[in-house]
Amino acid sequence: MHVLPQLRKLEQKYADVLTVVGVHSAKFNAEKSTENVREAVRRYDIGHPVVNDAKFEIWKSFAVRAWPTLMFIDPSGKVIGRHEGEFPVDVLDGVLADMIAEYDPPGLLKRGPLQNSKESMVDTPLSFPGKISADIERGRLIISDSNHRRLLISDVEGNVESVIGNGESPLVGDGAQPVFVDRNLDDALFDNPQGTSVDGDVVYVADAGTHTIVAVDVEQGIASTIAGTGEQSLYRHQGGDSLNVPLNSPYDLSLKDEKLYVAMAGFHQLWVLDLKRLTITPFAGDGGEDIKDGLKLEARLAQPYGVDVSNNAIFFVDSETSSVRVTAVAEEGRVVTLVGTGLFDFGDYDGVGKSALLQHPQGLEVRNDTIYVADSYNNKIKSIAIGSLQVVTVAGSGKQGTNDGPLVTAQFNEPADLALIGDRIFVADTNNHLVRVVDLESGEVATLEVKGL
């Protein structure tokens, strides 16, 4: 996901000579499905060919060891280099320029764009909604309509009251400005809006596409960047003034006592944004990708995608370890794993604590003594009792689909987040492009009709 925007810049610059082929070698079982790969190609607007290497045949033939890996192949088909991990785009630009300078004079390059048709998108009211949150006091939902690059604010019946963002990215166009102050709500505000947190008239937004955090004052009709530089950071750092620190895929937010706790997926850390001082710093995790409990800044996390503060505890999901973990709001303290055991341990089993298995959960919310989890790749909503750590399937048969009806037979397709209002769980059903409603009282799942767009 991080490499794709960088590659896109190079594909556009060298369109007549550079061919990119994506090879998808899946870690999770759900990612091996060709239809799921097709959805990912649509979601991330990939324009180059992608092959589904479900059996790791290409991975093994190139002796790949890490995600992502770039293989450089010359015009004769010979592998002349490789790079593991992310990269600064200017460095790769220089490598490509050197290759062109070497192979163009002897006439080894076949110039001209690659003839390739992109996957078509279906026109739906929502497009890959990534996150959803609730304004309980006002009975409102904030829906991150992520691939439409906007937020929708609706009532609980789906009647849209406000649309925030015009669907365009602030990264595109002559006036591209990913960091801004006092922009109107119908301007280009987001590239990939994800988690939100509400404080009265203000909605805080984690925009993973611009690597920024945006404050939206719905009453005043203005939006301002409050953290991030608009550039993705490729190195770990200690933070500082919020507008001078480059961030790395902020994916979710939770507010407590004028501090925003940030699931910083790209850094494998939790960060904290002090809204009074406008400083942002690491809060938990040393930046290494793993599942390791311990003192906050010595622990290891793995792509935290969801965070929720309840009382004085911060609960979060680490997607790459299929885990649910907790730490304290206090500066001192430890990270403790409730469910999850390893980077390659995942499945679908409702057990107790670390005997239970999830598969790439992406969102959670805490209500009283229960953690509700969007168990994304299992296509289920699950709950964890905080006292006993008993994991239970709340809704979803596990099969991909759109079926409404009784909790045990209802179907989802990569539910990525959830929000609770009363006895209803509102679910961002990402790959179905829908918001679903799990009614705990009636025991039924229904689809929310989004009206008024």
Side-chain angles (χ1 to χ4, degrees):
M1 288 161 54
H2 284 167
V3 166
L4 290 172
Q6 306 288 61
L7 280 179
R8 191 171 289 118
K9 295 175 185 177
L10 299 171
E11 289 178 90
Q12 292 170 351
K13 182 174 181 179
Y14 299 109
D16 67 331
V17 70
L18 172 65
T19 296
V20 175
V21 178
V23 180
H24 179 74
S25 306
K27 169 181 172 179
F28 293 98
N29 291 336
E31 293 176 334
K32 295 178 181 179
S33 159
T34 296
E35 189 52 42
N36 286 349
V37 176
R38 192 183 307 278
E39 286 299 306
V41 168
R42 292 187 180 114
R43 183 174 183 177
Y44 297 109
D45 194 28
I46 297 172
H48 56 249
V50 176
V51 56
N52 185 9
D53 184 32
K55 296 182 179 180
F56 276 64
E57 294 172 1
I58 301 174
W59 173 286
K60 293 174 183 176
S61 71
F62 282 93
V64 176
R65 302 176 300 178
W67 293 281
T69 294
L70 301 181
M71 306 299 299
F72 298 90
I73 302 174
D74 72 9
S76 69
K78 180 182 177 182
V79 175
I80 59 173
R82 68 190 291 157
H83 175 81
E84 295 177 346
E86 298 174 28
F87 56 86
V89 68
D90 55 338
V91 174
L92 186 50
D93 193 340
V95 171
L96 292 174
D98 289 344
M99 291 174 67
I100 293 167
E102 178 179 352
Y103 297 115
D104 203 19
L108 297 178
L109 298 181
K110 179 183 177 181
R111 290 191 174 271
L114 181 68
Q115 297 303 314
N116 183 46
S117 59
K118 292 177 68 173
E119 288 289 336
S120 59
M121 288 290 295
V122 178
D123 187 17
T124 51
L126 303 178
S127 180
F128 296 101
K131 294 286 184 182
I132 189 168
S133 61
D135 182 352
I136 296 176
E137 291 183 4
R138 305 186 187 192
R140 302 189 303 183
L141 299 171
I142 293 89
I143 304 166
S144 297
D145 191 8
S146 303
N147 272 47
H148 282 151
R149 299 186 173 99
R150 64 186 181 183
L151 298 183
L152 306 180
I153 298 180
S154 79
D155 65 16
V156 294
E157 303 305 321
N159 298 300
V160 174
E161 301 171 358
S162 301
V163 178
I164 301 169
N166 66 8
E168 300 294 328
S169 170
L171 298 175
V172 177
D174 295 336
Q177 187 184 0
V179 176
F180 50 81
V181 177
D182 293 354
R183 189 162 286 187
N184 296 325
L185 301 192
D186 58 358
D187 287 334
L189 300 180
F190 314 113
D191 185 72
N192 181 18
Q194 291 293 331
T196 62
S197 189
V198 182
D199 184 18
D201 292 325
V202 178
V203 179
Y204 297 101
V205 187
D207 186 12
T210 61
H211 309 283
T212 62
I213 297 171
V214 179
V216 177
D217 189 319
V218 180
E219 184 69 23
Q220 297 295 322
I222 58 173
S224 298
T225 304
I226 59 172
T229 64
E231 296 290 332
Q232 176 197 356
S233 176
L234 296 180
Y235 60 92
R236 301 171 192 166
H237 51 80
Q238 296 305 307
D241 293 338
S242 61
L243 286 172
N244 293 323
V245 175
L247 307 180
N248 196 346
S249 289
Y251 240 79
D252 200 15
L253 306 171
S254 189
L255 180 66
K256 170 75 171 179
D257 296 334
E258 296 193 73
K259 291 183 178 179
L260 271 177
Y261 295 89
V262 184
M264 198 75 73
F267 282 142
H268 308 298
Q269 293 176 313
L270 298 183
W271 282 51
V272 60
L273 170 59
D274 189 314
L275 295 172
K276 281 186 175 180
R277 298 181 175 86
L278 284 182
T279 57
I280 188 165
T281 53
F283 185 79
D286 68 358
E289 183 181 17
D290 205 342
I291 181 168
K292 174 186 172 185
D293 290 349
L295 295 175
K296 283 182 182 174
L297 294 178
E298 297 175 5
R300 291 207 158 173
L301 283 52
Q303 239 176 63
Y305 266 16
V307 61
D308 190 33
V309 180
S310 178
N311 295 322
N312 292 312
I314 304 171
F315 297 86
F316 61 99
V317 288
D318 267 356
S319 297
E320 281 300 303
T321 54
S322 300
S323 63
V324 177
R325 310 175 76 182
V326 65
T327 189
V329 168
E331 290 187 9
E332 302 296 326
R334 300 173 62 84
V335 171
V336 176
T337 300
L338 306 178
V339 176
T341 55
L343 268 169
F344 293 89
D345 298 333
F346 57 86
D348 185 2
Y349 178 69
D350 291 357
V352 176
K354 293 182 180 180
S355 72
L357 292 173
L358 308 173
Q359 187 178 184
H360 202 271
Q362 297 184 56
L364 81 171
E365 184 164 335
V366 181
R367 171 69 61 85
N368 299 326
D369 296 324
T370 303
I371 308 166
Y372 293 91
V373 180
D375 192 5
S376 305
Y377 286 1
N378 283 328
N379 302 304
K380 291 182 176 181
I381 305 301
K382 295 192 176 184
S383 68
I384 305 171
I386 292 177
S388 66
L389 297 185
Q390 176 68 55
V391 178
V392 175
T393 296
V394 174
S397 67
K399 184 178 179 180
Q400 288 182 357
T402 59
N403 284 0
D404 289 336
L407 300 180
V408 295
T409 59
Q411 297 173 346
F412 302 92
N413 192 350
E414 198 177 310
D417 200 26
L418 45 79
L420 279 80
I421 297 181
D423 290 324
R424 289 185 288 181
I425 305 173
F426 295 85
V427 180
D429 195 5
T430 303
N431 280 1
N432 278 331
H433 314 290
L434 297 172
V435 171
R436 313 291 293 285
V437 186
V438 178
D439 193 316
L440 298 176
E441 184 176 359
S442 70
E444 297 280 326
V445 173
T447 298
L448 185 73
E449 182 184 356
V450 178
K451 303 177 287 289
L453 288 174

